[in-house]
Each structure stands twice: as structure tokens, then as C-alpha cells.
Amino acid sequence: SPSTAALEPGSAVSPTAITMPSPSPTTAPAVDRNPAAYVEDLPYVVSVDPADFVAVADNPYWPLAAGTTTVLEGDGERIVVEVTDYSKVILGVTTTVVRDRAYEDGRLIEDTLDWYAQDRWGNVWYFGEETTEYENGTPVSTAGSWEAGVDGARPGIVMLAQPHVGDVYRNEYYVGEAEDLSKVIALDGTLTVPLGAFEATVTTEDWTPLEPSQLERKVYAPGVGLIAEGPVDDPLAIELVEFRKP
């Protein structure tokens, strides 16, 4: 099960030995604005060069400053996201470990360690997750866990440096387990949540081919990140209630 106890601050786990396929003519190179673009019926091929990644993740819509805590609540659910000062090396890239815990009526239902890194163009990449679901305090499943470079899994992008309306990109890619996608549907929006009013927001629609009928909306604010999410018929089901910076 996920545990930061086995990690030391600033520590790095040895990379998995893997040779990623070279980009095909149908796949955008990493210098493109949308390097994890989704094109239906075309294979997803991505190349990872550790030299293209930076130590500081400062994308305004997905900042990763160690010590930051974000809390969202709604419909009896509470989500606590903590940016740790731990690291994990994946495919030669030093990723930041983010702990994401979900509670339902006060009980822990999911505990996840996510691994992110930003490239030098400002895109924030997702390299995998170690997740555990709980029932009555007991771990019951690790379904959905994956790591880029292991068993054919490949990294995706969680936030573009320059999102445009209509952009569609892969968040993750592990066939049959993790295939989330995002589409940018609005820019420069405004939204008021319990913590306050935010401007210049980015809104995405998120789904997975594994469960195509389940569509979600997510809203991001500069300097904070995620401030609201929910199904398309209730996009403000879970909203930002706390945000603490180091």
C-alpha cells in the first residue's frame, strides 16, 4: 500500500531500465505544444528525454511546491492533496511525489502516491501512481496503479503549458488499467468556490475509454491548481475549501 514512510526527503528511487519506442511520424515530438495529443485510432508513442525536464514545477495551473496542501470537499467527500518533498526517478526523470487521499463521511477510501514532473516548456507530465482503495480501514484493491516504463505503460500530461480550447491529450497510458484523457473546453473563466473567487480559470472535460459514459469537469485556477470537479451534470460537486502554501 502507498506509504511515504519508506522514502527519505529528497530521495530518489532507481530508474526502471526501459527503452521507450522512438516517435512515429504520427506522434508529435516533445517540443510541440501538445506532446501527449490524443488522436483516435492512432497509437500513442512518446519519447522521454530526462534532459528535457526541470527541477522546479511552476506551471501556474499545476504548481508543485513542496509543502503545499489542497483540500476539496462536497457530497460527503473530502480530498486532501499534499505535495511532498520526496522524489522518485522514473525513466531517468526525477519526479515529485504527491500524496492524494480521499475520504467519504470521514473514512479513508483511497490513498494514492502520484508522480509528476515538468518539462522545460512548462508541461506537467504524469509518470504513474501507486494507489490503494480501503473499506472500513482495510486495504481492498490496488487496481489502477501503474508506472511509466513498466509493462508498456507510458507517461501522459496533466496540464499543458499553453492550453487551447479543443486540445485533447492523454493523462496516462496503461492499456486496460489507466487511460484517462482530458479536453480543454474553456479558458479565462471565473468561478467562486467556498475559499473565494478565482479568475483566468481553465476548464477541462475528462473521461476514459474504459468507462466512456462517465464524463467529469475540472476547473483549475492560476497559482492554486484544481478548485472544483464533478460529473458534467454537477461540475461543482467538490470544491476548494483550503489551500496552504509552504
Side-chain angles (χ1 to χ4, degrees):
S1 63
S3 174
T4 56
L7 299 172
E8 294 297 330
S11 66
V13 180
S14 298
T16 302
I18 185 76
T19 300
M20 295 297 286
S22 299
S24 70
T26 59
T27 303
V31 295
D32 279 8
R33 189 179 55 78
N34 186 359
Y38 169 74
V39 181
E40 191 172 2
D41 297 327
L42 286 183
Y44 178 52
V45 184
V46 64
S47 180
V48 172
D49 183 349
D52 287 336
F53 288 81
V54 297
V56 177
D58 57 2
N59 183 308
Y61 293 96
W62 203 287
L64 293 175
T68 301
T69 300
T70 303
V71 181
L72 300 99
E73 292 182 346
D75 294 341
E77 188 171 356
R78 179 179 173 88
I79 298 173
V80 180
V81 181
E82 299 173 288
V83 182
T84 77
D85 58 356
Y86 304 112
S87 64
K88 179 179 175 68
V89 177
I90 301 174
L91 297 177
V93 176
T94 299
T95 69
T96 296
V97 180
V98 175
R99 189 177 189 185
D100 187 327
R101 285 170 290 173
Y103 299 84
E104 192 172 85
D105 298 326
R107 293 185 177 183
L108 180 68
I109 59 172
E110 189 171 63
D111 193 348
T112 301
L113 297 180
D114 295 303
W115 308 311
Y116 302 106
Q118 182 175 302
D119 67 27
R120 58 194 177 99
W121 297 281
N123 304 298
V124 181
W125 291 76
Y126 188 29
F127 282 80
E129 64 180 296
E130 180 182 330
T131 185
T132 302
E133 295 179 11
Y134 289 80
E135 288 183 6
N136 299 318
T138 302
V140 294
S141 175
T142 59
S145 298
W146 65 283
E147 181 178 329
V150 177
D151 197 23
R154 299 169 186 170
I157 284 178
V158 292
M159 183 55 65
L160 294 168
Q162 301 176 49
H164 290 187
V165 171
D167 285 343
V168 182
Y169 49 95
R170 291 187 182 275
N171 304 148
E172 55 189 10
Y173 188 73
Y174 181 32
V175 176
E177 291 288 337
E179 300 183 30
D180 287 4
L181 302 166
S182 289
K183 179 179 181 179
V184 180
I185 62 172
L187 301 172
D188 299 322
T190 59
L191 182 65
T192 299
V193 295
L195 194 62
F198 294 88
E199 299 180 347
T201 61
V202 171
T203 302
T204 64
E205 188 168 272
D206 299 72
W207 76 100
T208 172
L210 303 178
E211 298 177 292
S213 63
Q214 296 188 15
L215 299 178
E216 290 191 336
R217 293 276 172 86
K218 295 183 179 180
V219 182
Y220 302 87
V224 178
L226 184 67
I227 61 170
E229 67 176 333
V232 291
D233 58 350
D234 188 14
L236 303 181
I238 301 175
E239 300 176 299
L240 183 69
V241 297
E242 295 181 38
F243 179 70
R244 301 189 298 272
K245 294 194 294 185

